[in-house]
Amino acid sequence: TAEVRGALTTMTELLADEPAPEVLESRILEHFEVLEAAGGEAGDVLFTGYYEPLIEAAMGPDADYATPVYARPPDLLEIPLDQFGERFSGERGLFGRLEAVESPRPRVVPYWTRSEIAAGKLSGKGLELAWAKDPIGLFFVEVQGSGALVFPDGTEKRIGYSASNGRLYQSIGKLLIDEGAIPREAMSMQALRAWLLANPAELPRVFAYNPSYVFFRMLDGAPLGSLGRPVTPGRSVATDSKLFPHGALAFISTARPVPGAAGKPQPQPLGRFVLNQDTGGAIRGAGRVDVFWGRGPDAEFAAGHMKERGRLFFLVPKRVAPESD
């Protein structure tokens, strides 16, 4: 929107001469309304992180590379509900497929679940972008929204979110906490991966708990957020797209986990300006923010361990009252 673009232009102008922090603060308060997000039930915001995973892949299947990386199916329908009347204003669209296409009265039904897709509902349709070696790694790429495929000859190809099957996202981490497999206080992406590797027979059951499934597309250049623009490590965040303005300038106050003694995460204060450039299936409500950390071991550590409370502020340009005659 014009207001979002105006905020970014104004901030760029305020930073042009590299002002001291106290000068910048004064300028911001002069030009912007600083609005704090309402947060969740506790009144604050839960910050988590995501990153760009690298997974081994091949262009064709074999005994080692057996998990398909699917492109968006042509029969996946996206239904924007707000076009069907004011009562649907603000509602998220639906995804589905036509059942009994040849029938005089075909109907739209929910798209295939993760289990149905794993059982072969999309096999033989030519939708495979590549074949992954590690199904756990591909699952985490789905959760992160983008990643890079590393082929046997060392070349890389980035993949990014294209669409989902529209099913409600369910956290497999929460499932394992509820089942007592991993203590709540010990849960992290790293702990989840370790449990899945140690219990391969449980993969189908645990993965099936999350019926949501992500389809990908090949990318050129940097990873993209939901706005189709490159995301910047440490400066791009994902929020609930239904609640917060796309592309808006914001400020976060929280902590980033860094390796401490024996590799255990230690919180490091984090306060910085960010852009609201992404969203995610697990990022719902006013009390959730996901911070993009890029790629590599440090990014994976921060994304895997980040579960920090904090505050989220949006910067809205002040309206200038028209001068009276």
Side-chain angles (χ1 to χ4, degrees), residues 112-115 165 167-170 207-213:
W112 307 116
T113 64
R114 174 179 296 277
S115 294
N165 62 350
R167 301 283 184 158
L168 183 65
Y169 174 89
Q170 298 286 351
F207 283 174
Y209 178 76
N210 177 26
S212 175
Y213 191 92

Side-chain angles (χ1 to χ4, degrees), residues 129-319:
L129 296 173
W131 297 80
K133 188 175 185 179
D134 176 16
I136 299 173
L138 183 60
F139 184 90
F140 278 103
V141 175
E142 285 192 50
V143 174
Q144 303 303 315
S146 65
L149 306 178
V150 182
F151 293 91
D153 64 359
T155 60
E156 291 186 11
K157 289 186 178 180
R158 277 194 165 102
I159 55 172
Y161 176 94
S162 179
S164 81
N165 62 350
R167 301 283 184 158
L168 183 65
Y169 174 89
Q170 298 286 351
S171 170
I172 64 171
K174 182 178 183 302
L175 170 69
L176 295 180
I177 290 173
D178 292 344
E179 292 181 347
I182 302 177
R184 183 179 301 276
E185 63 275 11
M187 176 57 74
S188 67
M189 184 175 64
Q190 288 80 357
L192 178 57
R193 184 192 299 274
W195 190 92
L196 293 172
L197 287 171
N199 297 272
E202 292 288 317
L203 288 187
R205 179 187 71 84
V206 173
F207 283 174
Y209 178 76
N210 177 26
S212 175
Y213 191 92
V214 171
F215 303 106
F216 293 100
R217 60 192 174 103
M218 291 294 189
L219 300 177
D220 293 322
L224 305 178
S226 61
L227 304 182
R229 305 293 296 176
V231 286
T232 303
R235 294 290 180 175
S236 295
V237 299
T239 64
D240 190 331
S241 61
K242 182 180 175 182
L243 299 178
F244 298 114
H246 302 170
L249 176 64
F251 186 87
I252 60 174
S253 177
T254 182
R256 170 181 178 167
V258 296
K264 293 185 177 180
Q266 298 292 328
Q268 183 181 76
L270 177 71
R272 61 177 53 177
F273 293 102
V274 296
L275 291 180
N276 183 32
Q277 292 181 287
D278 212 350
T279 189
I283 309 303
R284 294 289 181 260
R288 288 288 284 107
V289 174
D290 220 14
V291 182
F292 177 64
W293 291 114
R295 62 156 62 182
D298 290 343
E300 182 176 359
F301 186 91
H305 291 285
M306 191 171 190
K307 291 181 291 185
E308 305 290 343
R309 294 287 173 177
R311 302 171 73 184
L312 169 66
F313 304 87
F314 282 94
L315 278 64
V316 180
K318 290 183 177 179
R319 299 184 182 277

